[in-house]
Amino acid sequence: MRRGRRLSFAACLVLAVAAAPRGALAQTADELYASAVKARQAQHFDEAADLLKRALALKPDDADALVQLGFAELGRNDLPAARDAFSKALSLAPNYRDATFGMAEVEYRSGNLDVALPLAETVAKADPVNTDAAVLVENIRKAKQTVVSKPKAAAAVLAAVKKPHRRPDPVPGLMEDGRRLRTEGKLPEAEKVYRRALKLSPKNTDVLVALGLVVGSSQRFDEADPLFDRALAIKPGLLDARLGKVRLAIWQGDTLRAQALIDGVLATAPDNVEALDLEGRIALLEADYTRAGRSFQRALALEPRNAEALVGIGDVRRADGDDEAARQAYHQALALQPGSADVEQRLAIPPPRNWRLDLGSEVSDLTNGLGDWTDSSARLAYRLSPRTTISGRTRLATRFGHTDVQLEGRIDQAFTPTFSAYALAAVTPDADFLARYSIGAGASWQVVAPAKAFGPLSLNIDARYDSFADTSVTSIQPWAQAYILDGRLGLSARWVHAEDDTGTVADGYVLRADLAATERFNLFAGYADAPEIDDGALVPTRTVFGGISFEVSDPLTLRASIAHEERPTFDRNIFGLGLTARF
């Protein structure tokens, strides 16, 4: 008998669970909220109100849930309950337009036309594309005219407006708000709007893609990628989601992954304009400006009012050194997309200054009564193109009553955005202590692209051969440099290996930190335990050094430095001043 009762109880429990409303099984406030929105949109107002009350019991200060409850109560024509819900929402979020609209609806249905009209007008003025608000304003005005001109008909009019009606879907309006905010560069505000839309419609792939793009633009790539995956799980092969993943790869600097993804898109949609724009972006990252220009021009031919293609053409022209032509393209894009933060930022960049002058002078105080050394230099550089710079340098040095003048020529070449190299040659006529001639070369490879928290990370190497009167020295210096704290702090470590022609070898290292204290003020400090090449000799040296630089204006920067050097035979205190001028 007991066993039969247990089986009956279990069967009843199963049936009770199976018969329970879906919302009743929700465990979290978000789950209850999502179920309630679906119920309200299906005009199941009683179920929606019950679910929203449960959600608010778990999360009392949820303004979104309060607004939804207000509309559910309007659907049940419970005006006092709706007024209470909207009032609480406005106390939490005074500028919540949906709550203001709901309160206007309550006052309208309650016959308080003088109160309802300014509320509805506030919403209509703040959101001109909100047709619901515009219609409500018109209805209130008509009702007021009827009350004034036909008092007997007023009762019938007021009774009619109290009838419940279905609330239109707010998601399209939220999507438009989010798009506008994103265009204006207001990413945090756009994200809030899209998340509200996603709360109302959790399986809306348009919302998922838009939110993924905003989160990715904020460099939160690990959060953005799953949003595109969710959209693809709902609609496999969704083109917008696939293109979103391409953009993420581009923002991360992963050109190989981006190219593989865009090739897959273009295989199925060869004339998709957005895909062509992204192919151009990838080519720009790879410094293939011919291919980039071809992709953007093809996109513009398919869609002449394509602002993104015009921006890409401007970027290609700027990369080729034609800043005036680039600005023309940017202005055309801005005319098509007024208020675009991306375009305005490009136009705000001043025209490039192709000349650069660096002046510097150091005075060294030697211990043991050995007097002073001086070392001054002047370098003039000219940018032949955005990728090529040539420079010449003159160095004047004095030591122990002797003076040497060294002349140097150098060329720097950026082969890609992540790989660059240089070569130099120097000569000292009638050299006393400097090298008679020197040749050198180096390269830099950015292995990690800039990111919000870490990067960029570059691997570098410098090599040099110095020929003196009695000997020659070869030095090789591999080093790495990384940036953290959003690029404000740079850390570098350098290994120094030197060897003369007799086989004498000396090794050491240099550590350095650079800090951008403010936008214009920078600090650096470091320590070195490395050989110094002095008149062909490898002198073991320990050095503590530091300095500052201050950007007085865009073209002018001032520098100062100090160092203490310990050598086997004397110590050396070094004081330096310098400036950089761009014109």
Side-chain angles (χ1 to χ4, degrees):
M1 186 67 179
R2 291 179 180 175
R3 182 180 180 186
R5 288 179 180 175
R6 290 173 183 168
L7 290 174
S8 297
F9 176 77
C12 291
L13 181 61
V14 170
L15 289 173
V17 171
R22 184 178 299 176
L25 299 177
Q27 297 298 312
T28 68
D30 289 342
E31 290 171 338
L32 288 164
Y33 177 89
S35 298
V37 171
K38 292 179 182 178
R40 189 188 66 75
Q41 289 173 341
Q43 295 190 318
H44 300 154
F45 300 118
D46 291 336
E47 180 185 351
D50 178 65
L51 291 168
L52 287 163
K53 288 175 182 177
R54 295 185 186 189
L56 287 164
L58 297 173
K59 198 175 180 181
D61 294 335
D62 190 335
D64 291 328
L66 285 166
V67 169
Q68 289 294 321
L69 177 59
F71 287 120
E73 298 294 7
L74 275 177
R76 298 199 297 182
N77 207 28
D78 188 343
L79 299 182
R83 186 195 306 276
D84 181 64
F86 290 130
S87 178
K88 288 180 180 177
L90 287 169
S91 68
L92 294 169
N95 297 321
Y96 201 152
R97 287 205 295 264
D98 282 351
T100 303
F101 179 89
M103 188 64 81
E105 190 79 66
V106 170
E107 299 297 351
Y108 173 50
R109 296 191 193 185
S110 300
N112 303 323
L113 303 181
D114 289 335
V115 178
L117 183 58
L119 291 172
E121 287 177 335
T122 298
V123 178
K125 184 177 180 181
D127 189 1
V129 298
N130 189 330
T131 56
D132 296 330
V135 169
L136 180 58
V137 169
E138 184 179 355
N139 289 340
I140 296 172
R141 288 173 177 169
K142 288 181 180 178
K144 290 189 70 175
Q145 290 175 358
T146 302
V147 170
V148 173
S149 60
K150 299 178 181 180
K152 292 183 179 180
V157 172
L158 294 176
V161 301
K162 293 181 181 181
K163 293 180 180 179
H165 68 281
R166 184 176 180 180
R167 166 70 172 159
D169 186 0
V171 171
L174 291 171
M175 290 291 289
E176 178 61 26
D177 286 346
R179 185 203 63 76
R180 175 179 53 79
L181 290 167
R182 181 172 177 242
T183 299
E184 294 173 357
K186 300 176 180 177
L187 299 183
E189 294 85 348
E191 182 179 345
K192 289 179 182 178
V193 170
Y194 284 136
R195 288 199 181 278
R196 184 179 298 168
L198 188 62
K199 203 172 185 181
L200 294 170
S201 185
K203 292 189 177 181
N204 188 317
T205 54
D206 291 337
V207 179
L208 286 166
V209 170
L211 180 58
L213 290 173
V214 168
V215 173
S217 297
S218 303
Q219 295 191 337
R220 288 153 39 215
F221 306 121
D222 291 341
E223 295 179 42
D225 201 44
L227 292 167
F228 296 127
D229 289 337
R230 282 174 60 183
L232 288 168
I234 297 168
K235 291 184 181 179
L238 180 65
L239 188 59
D240 286 345
R242 294 169 67 191
L243 291 172
K245 293 177 81 70
V246 175
R247 288 188 185 276
L248 281 187
I250 291 173
W251 293 335
Q252 291 174 284
D254 190 347
T255 55
L256 292 177
R257 181 167 177 265
Q259 188 64 58
L261 290 170
I262 203 64
D263 287 344
V265 172
L266 290 171
T268 56
D271 293 330
N272 183 276
V273 173
E274 186 177 352
L276 290 169
D277 286 336
L278 292 177
E279 184 184 42
R281 284 281 147 213
I282 297 167
L284 272 175
L285 285 175
E286 295 175 340
D288 189 344
Y289 303 122
T290 301
R291 180 164 63 93
R294 189 165 55 243
S295 296
F296 290 128
Q297 290 290 358
R298 185 180 170 197
L300 199 62
L302 292 168
E303 187 181 305
R305 295 179 60 82
N306 185 339
E308 188 166 356
L310 285 168
V311 171
I313 290 170
D315 290 346
V316 170
R317 291 172 178 172
R318 179 165 278 177
D320 284 335
D322 192 345
D323 191 72
E324 184 177 351
R327 289 178 180 278
Q328 292 176 359
Y330 295 147
H331 280 297
Q332 292 175 10
L334 194 62
L336 296 174
Q337 203 173 72
S340 170
D342 287 342
V343 181
E344 289 177 347
Q345 286 173 4
R346 284 170 166 82
L347 286 170
I349 297 174
R353 294 181 171 87
N354 292 326
W355 291 93
R356 170 173 170 153
L357 176 64
D358 291 282
L359 300 176
S361 183
E362 292 182 349
V363 176
S364 301
D365 177 32
L366 278 57
T367 60
N368 299 333
L370 295 177
D372 297 334
W373 289 356
T374 64
D375 202 332
S376 302
S377 66
R379 178 190 296 273
L380 183 63
Y382 178 70
R383 194 179 73 147
L384 289 173
S385 74
R387 288 168 285 175
T388 307
T389 300
I390 58 173
S391 62
R393 176 174 178 259
T394 299
R395 179 185 177 190
L396 177 67
T398 63
R399 297 183 185 179
F400 304 122
H402 297 282
T403 299
D404 278 353
V405 177
Q406 187 178 71
L407 304 176
E408 178 187 293
R410 172 170 168 153
I411 182 169
D412 291 76
Q413 178 71 36
F415 295 97
T416 72
T418 59
F419 181 77
S420 60
Y422 74 87
L424 64 83
V427 61
T428 309
D430 300 322
D432 286 315
F433 50 89
L434 294 181
R436 294 179 302 167
Y437 68 88
S438 303
I439 55 173
S444 177
W445 177 34
Q446 185 186 99
V447 293
V448 176
K452 191 169 185 179
F454 177 81
L457 170 65
S458 61
L459 301 179
N460 314 274
I461 189 167
D462 298 308
R464 187 179 179 105
Y465 175 81
D466 295 296
S467 176
F468 295 88
D470 300 323
T471 186
S472 60
V473 178
T474 302
S475 62
I476 299 176
Q477 302 181 26
W479 57 288
Q481 185 172 47
Y483 286 86
I484 58 175
L485 301 180
D486 203 13
R488 293 179 59 243
L489 178 61
L491 304 172
S492 66
R494 180 188 298 262
W495 180 254
V496 179
H497 173 82
E499 183 175 352
D500 64 18
D501 58 0
T502 66
T504 302
V505 175
D507 294 306
Y509 61 89
V510 181
L511 303 176
R512 172 169 168 153
D514 292 80
L515 175 65
T518 68
E519 186 177 349
R520 293 177 175 268
F521 187 67
N522 298 277
L523 306 169
F524 72 88
Y527 175 77
D529 186 353
E532 179 81 11
I533 302 173
D534 188 349
D535 197 12
L538 301 179
V539 181
T541 307
R542 292 181 180 179
T543 309
V544 178
F545 59 90
I548 60 173
S549 68
F550 178 68
E551 186 177 314
V552 179
S553 62
D554 181 57
L556 180 62
T557 301
L558 301 180
R559 302 185 305 275
S561 63
I562 187 171
H564 175 72
E565 186 179 280
E566 295 180 354
R567 297 188 175 201
T569 55
F570 61 85
D571 291 348
R572 177 184 172 203
N573 294 313
I574 309 166
F575 306 93
L577 293 174
L579 66 82
T580 296
R582 306 167 190 84
F583 52 95

